[in-house]
Amino acid sequence: MKKRISLFFILFISQTLFSLDFFIAPYTGVMFGKLGEYLYDSSDSYICSYLEWEEKPLCFIGLDAGLEHNNFQFDVAFDYTLPLACGKMYDSDWNAEGIKHTYSVFESNKNTLGLNTIINTQYSFPVTENFNITPALQLQYNYYSFEARNGIGYYGSEAYTGQPDVLWNDDSAKKYRVSGIDYLRHTFFTWIGSNFDYNFGKHSIGLGLFVAPFTYTSAIDYHTDEKNLGRDYSLQEIQYSYFDRFKIKWSY
């Protein structure tokens, strides 16, 4: 009896494996955008700082591998962002009255490391001969780090002018060369949504709509001390969010 069950199990596994379609596909791309970091005062009553890291562009290369069986698909994609210059970085500070008294521009913003992984599982439902709806569940993790250098800052706060805060571009504001800022961010997403595909001949058009039920983000920005004045410091932010991230993708 045990031999028959073992033989049946081996035959079942073999048949299942041989019926699976395995695939592997390299890919590359270019991404344009920005990463923003808002900082609030201790009472959360107003925004006191905003750092903006340009992604103009981020160039990446990757590999997607998985398996298919009938209408089911499971795949894992991984891509690596090339360590290249990607625009500028901006740092703005406000006081409680909403006066933007400090503004810094960093001419050199470099992506030092970027990693992105997506685990995807989906099942396709043919609606017509040419049109499919494919619900999907995805888990995604990405990591990005940047270095901002060659910065000029404009300071209109009382600590620099000796008078009540003025706008950063006021004639009495002070101009200084500022030390660099490093930034790294870990983000974990859960995605639910669907792809919609229409096939015509050898071509197809696809649209994907997804929402993130849960997102976790941990970020650190480190203000360096290039002048060795003992003024370096770092800030860490941890954020949880629910159903406030969306993504749309299309293919042709």
Side-chain angles (χ1 to χ4, degrees):
M1 184 65 179
K2 291 183 179 180
K3 292 183 178 180
R4 291 181 180 179
I5 293 176
S6 299
L7 181 59
F8 173 78
F9 181 74
I10 293 173
L11 291 174
F12 173 77
I13 295 298
S14 300
Q15 183 177 7
T16 302
L17 289 175
F18 281 113
S19 66
L20 294 176
D21 293 322
F22 295 90
F23 66 88
I24 183 169
Y27 62 91
T28 185
V30 179
M31 179 170 60
F32 288 83
K34 63 181 180 181
L35 290 178
E37 177 190 20
Y38 287 98
L39 299 176
Y40 291 80
D41 79 313
S42 57
S43 63
D44 288 338
S45 58
Y46 70 95
I47 296 173
C48 60
S49 182
Y50 176 64
L51 287 76
E52 179 182 309
W53 306 80
E54 289 187 338
E55 301 171 320
K56 298 182 178 179
L58 292 183
C59 303
F60 58 88
I61 55 175
L63 195 67
D64 186 15
L67 55 88
E68 296 176 335
H69 177 66
N70 294 331
N71 295 336
F72 172 80
Q73 177 179 315
F74 174 84
D75 65 289
V76 178
F78 172 82
D79 55 70
Y80 165 73
T81 304
L82 301 179
L84 302 172
C86 56
K88 299 180 180 180
M89 182 270 191
Y90 307 93
D91 184 4
S92 303
D93 296 323
W94 292 264
N95 63 15
E97 287 71 42
I99 296 175
K100 183 176 175 178
H101 55 75
T102 304
Y103 182 56
S104 301
V105 179
F106 296 81
E107 295 293 333
S108 174
N109 178 35
K110 180 182 178 181
N111 165 56
T112 55
L113 179 62
L115 303 172
N116 180 61
T117 301
I118 299 179
I119 300 174
N120 174 74
T121 181
Q122 62 185 43
Y123 191 89
S124 181
F125 294 92
V127 179
T128 67
E129 183 178 352
N130 298 323
F131 180 63
N132 296 324
I133 297 178
T134 308
L137 171 65
Q138 298 177 349
L139 301 177
Q140 180 179 5
Y141 167 79
N142 60 42
Y143 170 86
Y144 293 107
S145 62
F146 298 88
E147 288 182 352
R149 296 294 186 269
N150 193 22
I152 298 294
Y154 304 86
Y155 293 80
S157 63
E158 182 178 359
Y160 291 89
T161 64
Q163 61 185 27
D165 292 350
V166 296
L167 291 171
W168 66 273
N169 56 358
D170 189 89
D171 291 339
S172 60
K174 306 300 182 180
K175 178 181 177 182
Y176 298 98
R177 181 167 294 279
V178 295
S179 295
I181 302 177
D182 298 338
Y183 183 67
L184 62 89
R185 175 187 286 191
H186 302 267
T187 308
F188 171 77
F189 304 91
T190 60
W191 297 103
I192 56 173
S194 183
N195 295 298
F196 305 88
D197 301 284
Y198 183 80
N199 304 304
F200 51 98
K202 297 181 179 180
H203 303 281
S204 65
I205 297 177
L207 174 67
L209 303 174
F210 291 84
V211 62
F214 173 75
T215 305
Y216 169 83
T217 302
S218 174
I220 296 176
D221 69 68
Y222 172 63
H223 295 244
T224 66
D225 182 21
E226 296 174 5
K227 299 179 181 179
N228 296 317
L229 300 176
R231 297 178 181 176
D232 61 319
Y233 65 93
S234 62
L235 299 170
Q236 181 173 15
E237 305 85 41
I238 296 177
Q239 181 184 61
Y240 304 90
S241 59
Y242 304 90
F243 291 97
D244 67 347
R245 307 291 180 94
F246 305 89
K247 69 176 179 178
I248 300 174
K249 65 175 184 178
W250 67 274
S251 62
Y252 174 76

